[in-house]
């Protein structure tokens, strides 16, 4: 570790293998907290490279619990978090709309860090019990079309750095890893990022991993498509700035996206979208995020307008709600 820190002090970049070994060393309690703190601080001050991020990803996946799913093509829809906007559970709701449309989804998530309700919060509110039983997970994916992977059960390395992360007043490389360590390693992902620098970093990561991806950012700082103004989308096939009007929607107001002050309020918004009784803006936001996920699954072969229609049918027909009810039944 002292050699690693010397490299960082000399402004050198670390290799993917070096970072993987460091992460594994952390899980073996090989380094004092002071050295880990120095490492995280130095990386944050200089900025994380693609290889460094991939190396820590490799280490987390190797030391964690793998989830082999009996399906070749499925998607995860996730945000980096940390945009401090306290939005309702847009990504999670979108996942059930995608599954309701007949696609397969493996949603990876956790409890909220900076908002009222994270994916695990809103799902637990419905009485769902999280599991790492591979047979149960595969049954759920087969029968409901969607499976939920609660991060705490799989990424064992995170507990070794929890106290250090809490003590530091700034985000670290671990804040970037959440979207990359889905233990089932999906071949498709729709990722929301909070700024364009993150979009570039993840784009290069996904290109190295060789997966089908869509990365979205709302220009006003949301780590998902908020429809509050222009938003940028980068995929394997194109890079474009959209306006809500381009998709036939009127701009949303920021207060229409807020999750509320309690988990119960966030649950009510989640339920209202799937039950097709939400505010029009809330439904439109979920439709749009789900549609770009569907487009990734379709390898860009369908227009975004077609994908919005597919997502809309999932909600309007009751299929998204039926999918969610089946998911709850299988996991309660």
């Amino acid at each position: 570790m002292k050699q690693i820190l010397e490299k960082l002090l000399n402004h050198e970049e670390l290799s993917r293998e070096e970072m993987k070994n460091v992460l594994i060393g952390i899980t073996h309690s090989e380094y004092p907290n002071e050295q880990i703190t120095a490492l995280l601080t130095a990386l944050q001050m200089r900025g994380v490279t693609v290889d460094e991020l991939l190396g820590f990803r490799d280490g987390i996946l190797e030391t964690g619990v793998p989830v082999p799913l009996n399906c070749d093509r499925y998607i995860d829809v996730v945000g980096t978090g940390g945009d401090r906007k306290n939005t309702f559970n847009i990504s999670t709701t979108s996942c059930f709309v995608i599954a309701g449309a007949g696609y397969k989804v493996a949603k990876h998530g956790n409890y909220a860090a900076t908002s009222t309700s994270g994916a695990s919060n809103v799902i637990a509110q419905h009485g769902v019990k999280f599991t790492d039983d591979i047979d149960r997970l595969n049954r759920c994916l087969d029968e409901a079309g969607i499976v939920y992977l609660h991060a705490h059960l799989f990424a064992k390395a995170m507990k070794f750095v929890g106290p250090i992360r809490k003590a530091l007043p700034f985000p670290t490389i671990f804040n970037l890893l959440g979207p990359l360590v889905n233990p089932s390693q999906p071949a498709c992902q729709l990722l929301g990022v909070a700024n364009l620098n993150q979009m570039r970093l993840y784009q290069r990561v996904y290109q190295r991993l060789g997966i089908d991806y869509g990365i979205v950012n709302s220009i006003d700082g949301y780590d998902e498509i908020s429809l509050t103004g222009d938003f940028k989308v980068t995929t394997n096939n194109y890079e474009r700035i959209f306006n809500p009007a381009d998709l036939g929607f009127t701009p949303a107001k920021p207060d229409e996206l807020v999750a509320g002050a309690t988990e119960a309020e966030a649950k009510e918004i989640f339920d209202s979208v799937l039950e097709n009784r939400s505010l029009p803006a809330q439904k439109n936001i979920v439709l749009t995020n789900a549609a770009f996920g569907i487009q990734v699954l379709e390898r860009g072969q369908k227009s975004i307008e077609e994908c919005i229609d597919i997502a809309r049918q999932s909600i309007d027909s009751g299929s998204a709600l039926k999918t969610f009810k089946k998911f709850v039944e299988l996991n309660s």
Side-chain angles (χ1 to χ4, degrees):
M1 176 60 91
K2 287 183 178 179
Q3 291 175 334
I4 294 286
L5 292 174
E6 279 185 20
K7 279 191 169 186
L8 290 173
L9 284 173
N10 291 327
H11 307 284
E12 296 177 44
E13 296 179 0
L14 303 178
S15 71
R16 184 169 177 173
E17 189 67 18
E18 283 175 317
M19 287 294 279
K20 174 186 171 182
N21 291 335
V22 166
L23 191 284
I24 292 172
I26 289 173
T27 66
H28 292 163
S29 302
E30 292 177 7
Y31 316 119
N33 285 350
E34 291 82 358
Q35 290 185 344
I36 299 172
T37 302
L39 172 76
L40 298 180
T41 303
L43 288 170
Q44 190 66 18
M45 290 178 68
R46 189 252 284 147
V48 178
T49 68
V50 171
D51 273 334
E52 288 164 352
L53 192 55
L54 285 170
F56 258 31
R57 172 187 180 270
D58 295 342
I60 286 177
L61 291 175
E62 185 169 310
T63 57
V65 179
V67 180
L69 294 177
N70 301 328
C71 179
D72 292 332
R73 193 164 182 82
Y74 52 89
I75 195 168
D76 185 10
V77 181
V78 64
T80 54
D83 62 8
R84 307 282 174 176
K85 301 288 190 181
N86 192 33
T87 53
F88 72 94
N89 299 95
I90 295 170
S91 295
T92 309
T93 317
S94 299
C95 282
F96 286 98
V97 174
I98 293 170
Y103 300 92
K104 299 294 188 182
V105 179
K107 169 68 176 157
H108 181 231
N110 211 333
Y111 292 117
T114 59
S115 61
T116 298
S117 176
S120 292
N121 299 91
V122 75
I123 287 174
Q125 279 278 306
H126 291 85
V128 167
K129 304 290 191 295
F130 303 129
T131 183
D132 59 0
D133 184 295
I134 304 301
D135 290 337
R136 285 187 63 192
L137 293 171
N138 271 298
R139 181 189 172 200
C140 187
L141 184 64
D142 182 53
E143 295 186 21
I146 183 169
V147 65
Y148 185 71
L149 306 172
H150 177 56
H152 281 303
L153 297 178
F154 303 99
K156 301 300 185 183
M158 291 301 196
K159 67 181 180 183
F160 291 92
V161 293
I164 296 172
R165 292 178 68 194
K166 284 183 180 179
L168 293 173
F170 52 80
T172 71
I173 184 174
F174 287 99
N175 294 75
L176 297 172
L177 282 164
L180 301 176
V181 293
N182 183 318
S184 72
Q185 300 188 48
C188 305
Q189 191 163 50
L190 182 73
L191 171 67
V193 296
N195 59 63
L196 297 180
N197 287 335
Q198 286 184 355
M199 179 174 277
R200 291 280 172 245
L201 176 64
Y202 284 108
Q203 182 181 28
R204 292 166 61 203
V205 167
Y206 286 141
Q207 288 169 345
R208 289 278 293 279
L209 292 175
I211 71 171
D212 291 330
Y213 65 87
I215 311 172
V216 304
N217 166 253
S218 291
I219 305 301
D220 53 356
Y222 288 90
D223 70 335
E224 52 223 339
I225 300 170
S226 64
L227 295 183
T228 50
D230 291 354
F231 60 94
K232 186 169 185 177
V233 179
T234 297
T235 75
N236 304 74
N237 304 299
Y238 68 85
E239 188 169 304
R240 179 182 166 186
I241 293 177
F242 291 86
N243 184 274
D246 296 335
L247 306 177
F249 298 126
T250 55
K253 299 173 183 175
D255 60 3
E256 295 175 308
L257 281 73
V258 176
T262 66
E263 289 186 17
E265 289 176 18
K267 173 182 178 290
E268 164 57 22
I269 297 172
F270 174 88
D271 290 347
S272 72
V273 176
L274 293 182
E275 293 168 6
N276 204 12
R277 56 178 178 80
S278 67
L279 295 175
Q282 293 167 338
K283 178 180 178 180
N284 292 341
I285 288 161
V286 170
L287 287 176
T288 306
N289 284 273
F292 278 97
I294 290 168
Q295 192 179 54
V296 171
L297 281 159
E298 291 285 358
R299 296 183 171 90
Q301 298 303 302
K302 291 187 183 295
S303 71
I304 195 58
E305 290 79 12
E306 289 178 287
C307 296
I308 289 173
D309 287 342
I310 292 170
R312 191 186 305 278
Q313 178 65 16
S314 177
I315 294 179
D316 291 352
S317 69
S319 181
L321 179 60
K322 182 180 177 182
T323 294
F324 180 65
K325 287 183 174 178
K326 183 65 175 177
F327 167 82
V328 173
E329 175 192 325
L330 290 169
N331 291 280
S332 296

